Amino acid sequence: MQPEIYFRYLSGKNPDAKSLELYHAAIAHHKIEFTEKENRLHQLSMRFPFLISFIDGGLALTQPLSLYRKNIYIILCILETRPAFFPLLSSSYHKKTANGFFKTILHGTRAVLTGLFGVILVKLA
Amino acid sequence: MSEVHPYIVVGSGCTGAMAAQTLVEAGVKVLMLDAGITDDTYTKLIPEKDFTAFRQTDENQSHYLLGKKFESISWDKIGSGSQLTPPRKFMVTEVEKFLDIFSKTFFPVESLAYGGLGNGWGLGSCVFSDAELNAAGLNPAKMKAAYQTVADRIGISGGQDDIKNYTTSFLTNIMPPPPVDSNQQSLKNNYERKADWFKANNFSLGRTALALITKDYNNRKAYHPQDLDFYSDKDQSAYRPWITVNELKKKNNFTYRGGIIVKQFKEIENGVVEIAIWNKEKNEEEIFRTQKLVLAPGVLGTARIVLRSFNKENQTLPLLCNPYAYFPCINISQLGKTFERNTTGFAQLSLFHDNNRQGDDIAMASLYSYKSLMLFRIIKEAPVNFRDGISLMNFLMPAFVIMGLFHSEKRGDNKTLNLRKDTSKITGDSLQAEYLLSEIEKQKITKRNSLFKKAMTKLGAVPVKMIDPGMGSSIHYAGVLPFEKEDKSFSLSPDGRLHGTQNVFVADGSGFRFLPAKGLTLSLMANAHNVAHNALK
Ligand SMILES: Cc1cc2nc3c(=O)[nH]c(=O)nc-3n(C[C@H](O)[C@H](O)[C@H](O)COP(=O)(O)OP(=O)(O)OC[C@H]3O[C@@H](n4cnc5c(N)ncnc54)[C@H](O)[C@@H]3O)c2cc1C
């Protein structure tokens, strides 16, 4: 499944050994068998990781419970329980800066745009 | 013939615990039969630190936050019991095996745990008004005395404010509520500022009454918020029924037997009740005998046992369950703010809508701040990619107010249960349920939902979505053997005795003929105390 790419997509960092171990343990319980289309999207993500946010965003609008997203969701759940990633995933625990505020607006706008573009990408794939 | 026990109580949940305590305090010998599943695998792992502290340091937190089998990672739509974290999930262990239910319209949460559903209840405690008690078939004078007895046993905190009449009303010895966080304080301030609008529209807001002690009480410690409410019962400040049963176990006239599934009963000569049980450890049937049987296995559990006992396969029983939905709201004044270190996962404020100010048509919302259930549960609901969702949700989370809205519920033709033979099940049967609201009821709920959404907006928290987890998700069940004065089969006499029997009493909510929107559990416990008292006669 090459989870490292999705870990990097969510956190910008490579996963540590424990996070990977947790991922494999989680996948053993939550078996993920991609449909043909999900597999195509996954292959596309492997080749062009910058497309992941578009695919993820497009599916969030059209097929929110797709297994492609479930795989990323499992990684998100694991990251949220890793102390090393606490600062990254828990900005709501820290004082906000003006920079943080603008970043949120930027991410909001990006989320909408990637979603819209993603819908087309997912349809074409 | 084996020993005839003077009293047998079935179940260690809120109602079984209260009934047993009343009997034990009266000096009679009590045997409690209970499925009694326990599991402290996860609670043992939780460090002695507050939530924010261990999130930053504990390398093994995934065990109790996600579960060793990652059972908290759910990819389904939000349904009944979605809020149960791994340390609470044992509450529903083996339920599918022994409490099979089939329905396309009703999705209940049941428990075979030591302490039952009370292991995870939200502690919201309200007395019913006289109008509500009468509609439920409960005697107001007797219930008022019983409410006080139960409140003194379990300890209740609440506010002296506009909703006192709906929550603790005439009760004395109420402790002050725990501190309110700034998120909900801002709603309270807006309520006070716009008091005229709320009054004109029959809304009242105030501090939620909780079975949570804020002063040391009966060997239990005062509550200090640490955001651990969904994970542990530190200091036993939250009332859980096992606290009562643990205390009863110290008395000579009380015996507890766990690992038992009660199947059915029959009255034999001299009114002795014979109870057939399944011993889970030995994997075999056993018979117990008693002079008085007090059933408290939860409403659906009682339905199963009674239908089996009378061997009425096609008998239909009525059923009541409060319609319920969540509304995530954004408190505009809190956008971009930072979480306070130690807050609470329990409801902090309650909003009541008393349609005609007569106390007979009330809807109730509990308001929660969102923190310790974590980012991953809420991010799944957002229609955006996960990466941007992380920063957006972190921005929004301190401003989230989750409104859980309950509607009152009357009986109806399409709200029913029956028991079908099913040899594939270990119990040999399966409960079948149908729960459909009428069009008029649906319209009324939709109208009420809109009123609450408007009220929340006035409070400064804009509802962004409605999540309807389906019928059963309120986890408030009642009414399968409604109270009847006349001797009618499949009903209870007003003192809680099962019609058609001499010595079988039902102490859970099976008799309630109406379900007010307020949390029912304080009333269940008060009724259980009264039923036990009647069983003593
Ligand atoms: C997450 C959550 C939040 C809640 N929040 C609130 C709230 O804020 N306010 C409120 O008023 N209510 C709330 N409730 C509802 C409340 O928990 C229940 O109303 C209450 O606990 C019911 O108690 P009971 O004793 O009737 O039944 P149960 O708790 O179901 O207890 C049944 C007992 O019987 C045993 N048992 C069952 N069947 C058998 C059998 N066949 N043989 C032997 N033993 C058996 C079980 O092991 C258990 O001990 C909540 C519930 C949940 C799950």
Side-chain angles (χ1 to χ4, degrees):
Chain A
M1 198 70 93
Q2 284 178 283
E4 291 85 351
I5 288 189
Y6 295 108
F7 270 100
R8 277 200 296 276
Y9 157 64
L10 284 179
S11 68
K13 287 189 200 170
N14 278 323
D16 56 344
K18 172 95 183 183
S19 300
L20 275 179
E21 186 194 311
L22 286 169
Y23 170 79
H24 290 298
I27 287 294
H29 289 283
H30 291 267
K31 302 228 162 22
I32 290 188
E33 280 169 25
F34 285 156
T35 59
E36 233 172 78
K37 170 122 191 191
E38 283 163 344
N39 210 18
R40 274 204 304 277
L41 292 170
H42 171 63
Q43 296 307 331
L44 201 61
S45 308
M46 294 295 105
R47 272 203 286 157
F48 308 106
F50 73 94
L51 287 180
I52 299 176
S53 63
F54 294 98
I55 298 172
D56 181 9
L59 288 172
L61 290 171
T62 54
Q63 223 189 309
L65 294 181
S66 108
L67 293 183
Y68 176 92
R69 267 170 57 83
K70 181 176 180 180
N71 185 41
I72 303 175
Y73 182 66
I74 289 174
I75 293 172
L76 171 69
C77 294
I78 287 165
L79 284 177
E80 209 187 350
T81 60
R82 301 292 303 128
F85 292 92
F86 183 81
L88 183 82
L89 270 91
S90 310
S91 60
S92 44
Y93 286 72
H94 317 298
K95 274 247 163 314
K96 297 279 179 307
T97 55
N99 190 11
F101 184 75
F102 287 116
K103 242 175 149 176
T104 309
I105 294 183
L106 191 76
H107 288 175
T109 317
R110 192 174 68 179
V112 174
L113 296 177
T114 46
L116 294 177
F117 183 71
V119 172
I120 302 167
L121 182 68
V122 167
K123 266 220 167 104
L124 293 177
Chain B
M1 191 159 141
S2 65
E3 180 188 358
V4 179
H5 298 272
Y7 285 85
I8 286 183
V9 174
V10 175
S12 63
C14 290
T15 57
M18 279 307 120
Q21 184 172 356
T22 303
L23 296 172
V24 169
E25 283 175 359
V28 298
K29 273 182 92 174
V30 177
L31 169 65
M32 179 176 275
L33 298 181
D34 187 28
I37 292 170
T38 55
D39 186 356
D40 63 352
T41 316
Y42 292 124
T43 34
K44 275 196 312 215
L45 300 175
I46 299 172
E48 284 284 314
K49 285 180 181 167
D50 70 73
F51 187 74
T52 310
F54 72 63
R55 294 282 313 282
Q56 298 176 66
T57 52
D58 188 6
E59 286 292 330
N60 295 319
Q61 58 187 277
S62 66
H63 286 162
Y64 47 87
L65 296 178
L66 301 178
K68 285 187 176 170
K69 292 184 180 159
F70 301 89
E71 57 268 28
S72 262
I73 302 181
S74 161
W75 197 237
D76 298 328
K77 285 205 169 116
I78 290 183
S80 300
S82 294
Q83 66 275 60
L84 298 180
T85 58
R88 304 279 190 217
K89 274 247 159 90
F90 79 97
M91 271 168 61
V92 294
T93 307
E94 296 200 45
V95 162
E96 274 178 36
K97 185 170 168 193
F98 291 106
L99 305 179
D100 187 69
I101 184 156
F102 175 80
S103 180
K104 287 187 172 153
T105 48
F106 180 64
F107 310 98
V109 180
E110 293 183 84
S111 178
L112 289 171
Y114 180 54
L117 295 170
N119 282 289
W121 78 304
L123 315 179
S125 298
C126 296
V127 300
F128 290 173
S129 68
D130 282 7
E132 288 167 333
L133 288 168
N134 283 323
L138 296 157
N139 178 312
K142 287 185 182 162
M143 281 296 284
K144 278 181 185 160
Y147 276 131
Q148 188 64 55
T149 305
V150 170
D152 290 341
R153 285 177 182 175
I154 67 175
I156 293 183
S157 56
Q160 301 290 328
D161 48 31
D162 287 1
I163 62 165
K164 184 180 179 322
N165 260 343
Y166 301 111
T167 57
T168 54
S169 184
F170 52 84
L171 294 176
T172 56
N173 308 330
I174 297 303
M175 300 181 199
V180 66
D181 66 20
S182 55
N183 185 17
Q184 305 230 1
Q185 183 62 47
S186 82
L187 305 183
K188 224 168 148 254
N189 296 345
N190 284 338
Y191 172 73
E192 276 150 25
R193 219 172 306 134
K194 298 174 188 171
D196 291 344
W197 185 88
F198 285 98
K199 206 167 172 197
N201 288 281
N202 299 332
F203 276 104
S204 310
L205 180 91
R207 296 304 309 278
T208 306
L210 297 167
L212 181 73
I213 52 170
T214 51
K215 293 177 185 167
D216 291 357
Y217 191 66
N218 290 346
N219 299 326
R220 291 163 55 203
K221 289 258 162 30
Y223 179 66
H224 293 291
Q226 293 199 307
D227 282 324
L228 293 174
D229 313 304
F230 291 106
Y231 302 94
S232 87
D233 295 315
K234 213 169 161 281
D235 298 333
Q236 302 187 5
S237 28
Y239 176 73
R240 307 282 171 208
W242 52 258
I243 296 175
T244 301
V245 185
N246 281 357
E247 284 303 311
L248 292 177
K249 283 178 178 172
K250 296 177 190 161
K251 313 265 184 203
N252 291 332
N253 58 338
F254 180 80
T255 312
Y256 176 84
R257 286 276 309 268
I260 278 171
I261 301 291
V262 170
K263 291 174 76 179
Q264 61 197 72
F265 60 82
K266 70 171 178 225
E267 277 191 340
I268 52 174
E269 67 269 24
N270 303 327
V272 169
V273 186
E274 197 171 79
I275 306 160
I277 66 108
W278 181 253
N279 185 323
K280 287 203 295 148
E281 272 152 44
K282 293 190 194 154
N283 251 344
E284 63 184 26
E285 278 208 6
E286 269 179 58
I287 300 286
F288 284 85
R289 294 191 173 83
T290 182
Q291 274 155 2
K292 296 221 171 140
L293 171 63
V294 180
L295 287 173
V299 160
L300 302 172
T302 294
R304 286 186 187 88
I305 294 171
V306 169
L307 286 169
R308 261 180 223 137
S309 303
F310 291 112
N311 200 11
K312 287 283 166 117
E313 209 185 310
N314 288 321
Q315 176 69 40
T316 296
L317 300 184
L319 175 64
L320 285 173
C321 172
N322 292 118
Y324 179 64
Y326 305 94
F327 297 80
C329 309
I330 307 279
N331 183 350
I332 305 295
S333 71
Q334 298 293 303
L335 277 175
K337 292 258 162 71
T338 308
F339 274 136
E340 279 158 55
R341 174 88 187 218
N342 287 324
T343 56
T344 179
F346 295 121
Q348 299 181 51
L349 296 173
S350 297
L351 181 63
F352 286 84
H353 181 246
D354 187 347
N355 205 10
N356 44 26
R357 294 268 174 202
Q358 300 288 312
D360 61 354
D361 184 15
I362 294 172
M364 184 198 84
S366 301
L367 308 185
Y368 303 85
S369 292
Y370 188 91
K371 184 180 175 195
S372 62
L373 282 177
M374 302 173 66
L375 180 71
F376 71 84
R377 284 193 181 79
I378 203 137
I379 215 168
K380 201 179 105 204
E381 303 303 313
V384 293
N385 73 70
F386 286 124
R387 187 181 61 184
D388 290 323
I390 293 172
S391 59
L392 288 177
M393 284 299 157
N394 266 306
F395 185 71
L396 294 177
M397 253 172 34
F400 265 128
V401 176
I402 310 290
M403 170 172 71
L405 176 52
F406 295 88
H407 298 275
S408 62
E409 184 65 341
K410 291 190 176 123
R411 292 200 285 167
D413 291 343
N414 298 321
K415 303 167 185 175
T416 55
L417 283 178
N418 61 59
L419 195 69
R420 297 252 174 90
K421 289 246 180 320
D422 185 342
T423 46
S424 69
K425 308 289 175 219
I426 196 161
T427 53
D429 48 36
S430 163
L431 206 57
Q432 317 277 311
E434 179 183 59
Y435 211 109
L436 296 171
L437 298 170
S438 69
E439 282 312 310
I440 294 174
E441 285 171 329
K442 281 189 201 157
Q443 277 165 19
K444 196 178 162 197
I445 288 171
T446 309
K447 218 169 136 192
R448 218 59 183 289
N449 286 349
S450 302
L451 280 176
F452 271 84
K453 286 201 271 185
K454 197 165 171 193
M456 285 305 286
T457 309
K458 286 271 174 203
L459 292 174
V462 183
V464 287
K465 191 173 178 177
M466 177 177 118
I467 300 173
D468 179 358
M471 281 313 298
S473 61
S474 64
I475 324 187
H476 294 175
Y477 315 124
V480 292
L481 303 166
F483 291 122
E484 294 282 355
K485 289 205 177 84
E486 294 111 62
D487 193 344
K488 249 173 99 178
S489 51
F490 297 101
S491 69
L492 304 183
S493 68
D495 65 353
R497 191 176 46 80
L498 178 65
H499 280 308
T501 71
Q502 292 174 54
N503 289 318
V504 179
F505 290 80
V506 179
D508 56 32
S510 297
F512 289 27
R513 302 175 60 89
F514 165 71
L515 257 188
K518 301 164 176 175
L520 78 171
T521 306
L522 183 65
S523 304
L524 291 180
M525 290 192 269
N527 175 59
H529 164 69
N530 282 341
V531 171
H533 197 72
N534 296 331
L536 282 166
K537 286 178 192 159

